Amino acid sequence: MPQLAPDAPAPTALAGRHFRIRDHYDVGREKIREFARAVQNAHPAHWYDADAGKLGWDGIVAPPTFGSVIGMTITQALLDTVLSDYDLSQVLQTDQVFEAHRPIVAGDRLRSEAIIESVRRVRGNDFIVVKAILTDASGAVVLVATTSIVARLGEGDPDIVRLVEGLVMRRREEDRIDPDVLAPITAEEATPVPTLAESWRGAPVHSEPSFDDLSVGYQLPARTMQLSRGDLVNYAGVSGDPNPIHFSDRAAELAGLPTVVAHGLLTMGLGGEFLSSWLGDPTAIESYSVRLSGFVPVEPLSPARIEFTGKVKSLDPERRTATILLSGTSAGKKLFGRAIAQVRLS
């Protein structure tokens, strides 16, 4: 790929540009199950129509972080076109926010818009914030996802470049995104996004903890989850994340890591299960945001253990919602600089 000099000016002209993706994404029931397995989200509404029906939905519902799969296709479209100086296999994610205006459900045909919110350069790296708006067949907003990535510039370590070229899945020329798939639009043409309160007004919630039973400072039951090398390889395939630090010891070593590490969004997905298992209703999660500050090292022959805890930061009696602060640790180190969820309660 073409390389940029570290002292080249940041492509700030891209900031504020809006695009509509001309293609659509059909949400399949088996893809939902596949993703739920990859992020260990066990609620039966992710697996069985009858259980999703009990929550009021016509098909199985996707896990809280399923939007990352669609987001990966949007990111790839941008990298193949307007951000073509960067390579997905050498891009690191730092922040992720999901705002669910309703659950993604099997059978949805989703359209996407992408907004490059900001681009800034710090010591030769570009920090890029991209917002994606997903809408359904009726044009209603389903999910708003905001992703912050850091793209490294300069020639880089030639050993890493060669290793990446030899490890990542080959992309044929015909696999590349057609530049015409991105249609530039003005800010005025972009889909207006309602507030979460507007989107969820009147919608039923089936959480097991009741709003009336909680108070600020309430501690969620702690939970420990595990990840093996096999889990990482499986998630890489399901999510479409090609970064070799998640499956190659040599790539991890060249990147300065002690061993292979778990995907940040895989760790975030496990946090979604932590929340869902407490709530008893995965669709009760309105928003979920994480700033990634650590990593989960996964050794070849023994699984990594991740400990999740959480507490109620605040309560909104008018909407019967709670703001939850999450914490994740592995090998005694914090994984999140910040992790917050807003949940609806019965």
Side-chain angles (χ1 to χ4, degrees):
M1 74 173 181
Q3 297 286 343
L4 301 181
D7 57 352
T12 52
L14 291 172
R17 293 187 64 184
H18 290 60
F19 302 91
R20 182 167 287 127
I21 313 298
R22 288 196 171 100
D23 202 0
H24 62 268
Y25 187 97
D26 286 329
V27 180
R29 58 187 283 127
E30 299 313 318
K31 185 65 177 183
I32 287 177
R33 289 170 168 167
E34 184 181 82
F35 186 82
R37 182 179 299 110
V39 293
Q40 302 180 29
N41 282 204
H43 194 282
H46 303 316
W47 301 86
Y48 306 110
D49 293 315
D51 292 281
K54 293 175 184 176
L55 300 180
W57 304 101
D58 294 334
I60 62 172
V61 299
T65 59
F66 182 83
S68 61
V69 175
I70 307 171
M72 188 65 70
T73 67
I74 296 171
T75 300
Q76 187 66 71
L78 291 171
L79 290 169
D80 277 353
T81 53
V82 295
L83 298 175
S84 58
D85 287 318
Y86 307 109
D87 179 356
L88 183 59
S89 67
Q90 300 187 63
V91 166
L92 298 177
Q93 195 158 4
T94 58
D95 294 66
Q96 180 67 58
V97 181
F98 294 109
E99 296 176 336
H101 292 257
R102 73 157 173 83
I104 295 174
V105 178
D108 274 335
R109 172 164 286 192
L110 301 177
R111 299 280 178 177
S112 307
E113 295 174 19
I115 305 160
I116 302 176
E117 294 209 311
S118 64
V119 182
R120 61 188 179 91
R121 181 155 298 163
V122 179
R123 294 189 293 275
N125 296 326
D126 278 359
F127 290 77
I128 306 168
V129 179
V130 176
K131 177 180 285 186
I133 302 171
L134 306 185
T135 56
D136 62 18
S138 72
V141 174
V142 175
L143 180 75
V144 178
T146 304
T147 303
S148 300
I149 61 175
V150 55
R152 300 181 184 278
L153 301 178
E155 294 298 328
D157 187 330
D159 289 336
I160 295 179
V161 173
R162 284 193 298 270
L163 185 74
V164 168
E165 289 176 346
L167 277 177
V168 299
M169 187 176 72
R170 298 293 88 204
R171 292 187 72 206
R172 302 169 301 171
E173 193 60 36
E174 55 267 36
D175 293 332
R176 295 193 175 276
I177 302 294
D178 183 343
D180 290 336
V181 78
L182 285 184
I185 60 175
T186 66
E188 291 72 24
E189 294 173 307
T191 298
V193 177
T195 66
L196 289 171
E198 290 169 336
S199 294
W200 286 103
R201 185 174 294 126
V205 63
H206 302 84
S207 71
E208 292 174 1
S210 167
F211 180 89
D212 299 324
D213 295 334
L214 299 180
S215 58
V216 173
Y218 171 87
Q219 299 282 336
L220 279 63
R223 182 170 179 185
T224 298
M225 303 178 75
Q226 296 188 350
L227 287 173
S228 68
R229 287 282 180 96
D231 293 320
L232 271 55
V233 172
N234 182 53
Y235 183 81
V238 170
S239 67
D241 186 334
N243 195 320
I245 64 172
H246 305 305
F247 56 83
S248 165
D249 286 296
R250 180 58 177 157
E253 178 188 351
L254 288 172
L257 297 166
T259 187
V260 161
V261 299
H263 309 70
L265 278 173
L266 172 53
T267 307
M268 186 179 185
L270 298 185
E273 165 62 14
F274 169 68
L275 286 169
S276 293
S277 62
W278 171 65
L279 288 165
D281 178 358
T283 71
I285 302 172
E286 280 190 347
S287 66
Y288 180 22
S289 66
V290 164
R291 171 164 293 167
L292 301 166
S293 62
F295 53 80
V296 178
V298 183
E299 299 293 343
L301 301 178
S302 58
R305 293 168 58 88
I306 303 98
E307 293 80 34
F308 290 100
T309 58
K311 68 177 181 179
V312 175
K313 178 187 179 185
S314 63
L315 294 163
D316 181 345
E318 182 177 348
R319 293 199 58 226
R320 296 179 70 84
T321 60
T323 300
I324 309 296
L325 290 178
L326 289 87
S327 176
T329 60
S330 183
K333 295 183 179 179
K334 291 180 59 176
L335 304 177
F336 308 136
R338 181 201 66 235
I340 300 176
Q342 182 170 293
V343 302
R344 299 182 303 128
L345 299 163
S346 58

